[in-house]
Amino acid sequence: MVQKEHQDNSRRRRWLLEYPIAVPVVIFLLVAAITMLSVFAIEEGERRRETADLNRHSQAMASAIERRAFTSSSYLRAGAALFTTQEKIDADLFRRFVSELRLDSDYRGAEGIGWAPVISANDLPAFETRLQSEWIDDAKVRPSLSEAPRSQLTPILFLQPDTLRNRRALGYDMYSDPVRRAAMDEALRSMRPSASGRIVLVQEGSEKQGDAGFLIYMPVFDGAGGQRRLKGFIYSPFNAPQFIEAAAALVNSEGMAAELYDLNDGKRTLLAGINPVGEQGEMVEREVNLANRPMMLVVRSGQAQTLSSMSMVTLLFGIAVASLLMLVARLLTQQALEDRRSINWFAEQNSIRDSLTRELNHRVKNTLANVLSILSLTRRRAVSLDEFAEGLDGRIRSLSGTHDLLTQSEWGTTPIRSVIEAELASYADDADHTVSMSGPEVELAPNDALSLGLALHELTANAAKFGSLSRPGGTVTISWERTSEALARVDWVESGGPTVGAPSKRGFGTDLIEKIVAHELRHPVEISFDPEGVRCSLLLPIRERSEFELRKANPAAHAH
């Protein structure tokens, strides 16, 4: 047994002596090959996992898009069923219908719900008279008959919620546009909600600068059977980027990009996209049915085609082990040669081995120093997260301050004065500025107090950057009054600051106030950029305690 073991050792030493270079290289190549196979197996597993995640994400997002379209279609079906039974559809009826729907955050992306009756050219004067009496004094149907002669018109009469943005669409004849007309004809043919192709909403104001959008139409008839007559269309306009962002918010879309295309006669037309990543990464396509219209959802992985962290660790570790084994084999070869020569060469071999060990230690330290330098440089240049966090921090603090007020009141009613004082606390006692607050004691429901606090935060932040709070001597006057038993009006007036000009483009704060805050308060918000200073007027509902206590006790009913 001992003799056999001695023979094996002798054979191995003979290989080292006969092949002093080949043996270390073979060992290195063998370990490197095992490492590469391991990296390949890890990458294959990562690719399959990424493909599975991408398929799961695309399926979830496609379902979210179809679900949101189905929800919108359900609202339109309900409206069609209601309006079919009504002899006349007036503004009060339409407003009550939309209000009862209680559109929640799952309806984000939609500009609202509208009504467009079908009229003939002879009915145009009477329609314009009605439009002017109910909405705008000088409203006209556009395009006019002289600009585009036609016998049938489908102009917009109602569009809720009633905002300044939505009022720009009133009087527009949707049947004059071929894309909208095709969608209305398809809805009339199929008798179910039908989506249009890519358009720019009239609310955007500019065909070139506005975001892409689409509409969903549902026909409304008068009568039944062969005697029925088309009364008009109930419809919903959608901002495409906001629509797909709302759908993506329902699933975990971090690190992935999505694009929604309209399919028409085999051609793809881009509606909107989120998190663009170019052509890199894996891609999955899914056809979705958005209100009786085929569309294509394209989901891409945002990860670049590089090795995963596990593969990088395995590769580096494998190369290190292969190098170390090759070094050990080389050292063993040298040791065998030295043993064969003399004991003096053995001592010299020890010296060489010590030198190699010190060199290896030195190289390891250099490697660690390089890694630390790279980490430090990356940290110094990563400034975009701080810029993003600065704006987010203010809004979170604003909501936190209002939440503190609501907590103190045990989520009961909160005075308007308390909300205003909380938002302007840092300027109320400032000697360089004047903050004037006046108004009666008015209590707000919790959700309305949060909306008011959010609006005041945006106005205060704007005034501190560009308005009357940005220079000494500036004044902010906030007054409020009860205009009726169910409404209170809050007026924000700036003066003494720099001259104000109309903004060249809409900012996030303006959109937040005019869309989200106005939607939550169910009343339009008026913002004007006068040269003397910004003015803003908000209408706040004064709710009975039973209203919000009921929703608090049954949140599921309020959500739907």
Side-chain angles (χ1 to χ4, degrees):
M1 183 74 180
V2 175
Q3 184 179 4
K4 183 178 180 181
E5 182 177 353
H6 178 71
Q7 291 176 351
D8 292 339
N9 290 334
S10 299
R11 188 182 298 111
R12 286 193 289 270
R13 294 185 64 183
R14 187 170 65 251
W15 288 349
L16 292 174
L17 293 173
E18 293 179 356
Y19 308 103
I21 297 178
V23 171
V25 172
V26 169
I27 292 176
F28 178 84
L29 294 177
L30 181 61
V31 176
I34 295 175
T35 301
M36 295 304 296
L37 289 175
S38 301
V39 170
F40 177 79
I42 293 173
E43 285 300 300
E44 183 66 17
E46 287 291 326
R47 188 189 64 80
R48 292 181 179 179
R49 183 188 62 80
E50 182 180 348
T51 301
D53 289 344
L54 199 61
N55 279 294
R56 182 168 57 252
H57 175 80
S58 62
Q59 179 62 46
M61 192 164 181
S63 300
I65 290 175
E66 291 182 340
R67 183 168 63 251
R68 297 191 71 250
F70 178 79
T71 301
S72 301
S73 299
S74 299
Y75 292 149
L76 298 183
R77 289 180 185 273
L82 173 65
F83 298 152
T84 298
T85 62
Q86 303 297 317
E87 181 177 352
K88 181 181 179 182
I89 303 173
D90 55 25
D92 291 337
L93 172 64
F94 191 80
R95 188 181 301 110
R96 289 198 306 272
F97 164 71
V98 176
S99 176
E100 288 299 323
L101 291 178
R102 295 182 179 180
L103 305 178
D104 55 15
S105 60
D106 192 43
Y107 205 63
R108 187 164 66 92
E111 299 289 335
I113 295 180
W115 165 249
V118 174
I119 63 174
S120 64
N122 296 331
D123 299 328
L124 183 58
F127 177 86
E128 290 182 340
T129 300
R130 182 181 181 187
L131 184 65
Q132 294 169 4
S133 64
E134 294 188 357
W135 299 108
I136 307 171
D137 293 339
D138 58 347
K140 296 287 185 180
V141 172
R142 58 191 190 281
S144 64
L145 291 180
S146 60
E147 296 173 338
R150 55 201 183 276
S151 59
Q152 179 178 322
L153 300 89
T154 310
I156 301 173
L157 181 59
F158 304 130
L159 183 56
Q160 291 290 331
D162 181 21
T163 63
L164 295 177
R165 173 181 170 82
N166 280 343
R167 287 196 176 190
R168 289 202 294 261
L170 298 179
Y172 176 71
D173 178 19
M174 295 186 289
Y175 207 70
S176 64
D177 176 64
V179 178
R180 293 173 171 86
R181 181 168 61 248
M184 286 188 279
D185 291 342
E186 175 61 23
L188 185 61
R189 185 194 64 81
S190 62
M191 297 293 295
R192 57 180 178 175
S194 298
S196 71
R198 184 186 188 279
I199 61 166
V200 174
L201 300 178
V202 184
Q203 293 93 314
E204 299 291 347
S206 174
E207 183 74 21
K208 296 182 179 180
Q209 298 179 358
D211 291 333
F214 63 93
L215 304 105
I216 299 180
Y217 293 97
M218 180 65 190
V220 178
F221 294 93
D222 185 7
Q227 302 298 323
R228 67 183 182 182
R229 179 183 61 85
L230 180 63
K231 295 172 64 174
F233 291 88
I234 183 173
Y235 76 100
S236 282
F238 290 85
N239 181 290
Q242 294 180 8
F243 178 82
I244 192 173
E245 286 175 3
L250 301 178
V251 297
N252 183 17
S253 60
E254 182 178 358
M256 296 185 181
E259 296 171 336
L260 186 63
Y261 292 88
D262 175 47
L263 300 180
N264 186 21
D265 295 332
K267 297 181 181 179
R268 291 187 179 185
T269 303
L270 179 63
L271 282 180
I274 57 172
N275 304 330
V277 296
E279 298 298 327
Q280 64 178 349
E282 195 169 352
M283 177 183 69
V284 172
E285 295 183 347
R286 288 190 181 274
E287 187 169 341
V288 296
N289 186 298
L290 198 154
N292 198 29
R293 188 178 185 90
M295 294 192 180
M296 181 66 69
L297 174 66
V298 178
V299 180
R300 300 179 188 271
S301 172
Q303 299 180 358
Q305 296 297 322
T306 58
L307 293 179
S308 64
S309 58
M310 180 62 70
S311 296
M312 289 296 297
V313 171
T314 302
L315 181 61
L316 295 176
F317 181 77
I319 292 176
V321 170
S323 301
L324 183 60
L325 289 177
M326 184 175 65
L327 178 62
V328 171
R330 183 62 178 168
L331 290 175
L332 290 176
T333 302
Q334 293 293 334
Q335 183 180 1
L337 291 174
E338 292 297 330
D339 288 344
R340 193 174 180 180
R341 293 174 182 173
S342 65
I343 295 178
N344 293 333
W345 284 100
F346 180 78
E348 184 180 351
Q349 181 63 33
N350 286 336
S351 177
I352 294 174
R353 186 168 53 191
D354 290 341
S355 299
L356 291 174
T357 302
R358 287 194 299 270
E359 179 65 19
L360 178 63
N361 182 51
H362 177 69
R363 293 187 180 185
V364 170
K365 288 182 179 180
N366 286 342
T367 302
L368 291 176
N370 290 334
V371 172
L372 291 175
S373 297
I374 292 172
L375 289 176
S376 177
L377 181 62
T378 304
R379 181 186 61 186
R380 289 199 303 270
R381 294 186 178 180
V383 297
S384 59
L385 181 59
D386 293 336
E387 293 175 358
F388 168 78
E390 181 180 356
L392 185 62
D393 179 72
R395 296 185 177 92
I396 292 178
R397 290 181 183 274
S398 172
L399 292 177
S400 175
T402 309
H403 269 277
D404 288 342
L405 294 177
L406 299 178
T407 302
Q408 295 172 8
S409 65
E410 298 182 352
W411 285 82
T413 57
T414 303
I416 290 181
R417 179 180 291 274
S418 298
V419 178
I420 298 174
E421 289 175 348
E423 293 299 332
L424 291 168
S426 59
Y427 297 98
D429 299 328
D430 189 353
D432 292 337
H433 306 96
T434 302
V435 177
S436 174
M437 292 176 283
S438 62
E441 187 71 18
V442 179
E443 302 281 339
L444 298 177
N447 288 343
D448 300 330
L450 285 172
S451 299
L452 176 61
L454 191 60
L456 290 175
H457 170 74
E458 296 300 328
L459 292 170
T460 304
N462 181 74
K465 290 181 179 180
F466 312 109
S468 59
L469 298 181
S470 65
R471 62 169 56 174
T475 300
V476 173
T477 303
I478 307 175
S479 59
W480 63 93
E481 62 178 352
R482 294 189 67 151
T483 59
S484 66
E485 289 296 324
L487 283 177
R489 180 186 179 94
V490 176
D491 292 313
W492 169 286
V493 180
E494 297 181 28
S495 60
T499 302
V500 175
S504 59
K505 61 179 182 178
R506 296 175 60 84
F508 175 81
T510 304
D511 281 340
L512 184 142
I513 295 175
E514 290 188 347
K515 288 185 177 180
I516 299 178
V517 173
H519 173 75
E520 291 296 328
L521 297 178
R522 299 182 185 177
H523 290 87
V525 178
E526 298 178 0
I527 301 179
S528 61
F529 296 89
D530 294 343
E532 295 80 8
V534 174
R535 294 174 174 265
C536 181
S537 296
L538 303 95
L539 289 178
L540 305 173
I542 302 177
R543 310 179 193 274
E544 295 293 335
R545 184 178 292 270
S546 58
E547 294 185 42
F548 54 84
E549 283 187 342
L550 178 62
R551 290 197 294 272
K552 181 179 178 182
N554 188 10
H558 177 59
H560 294 283

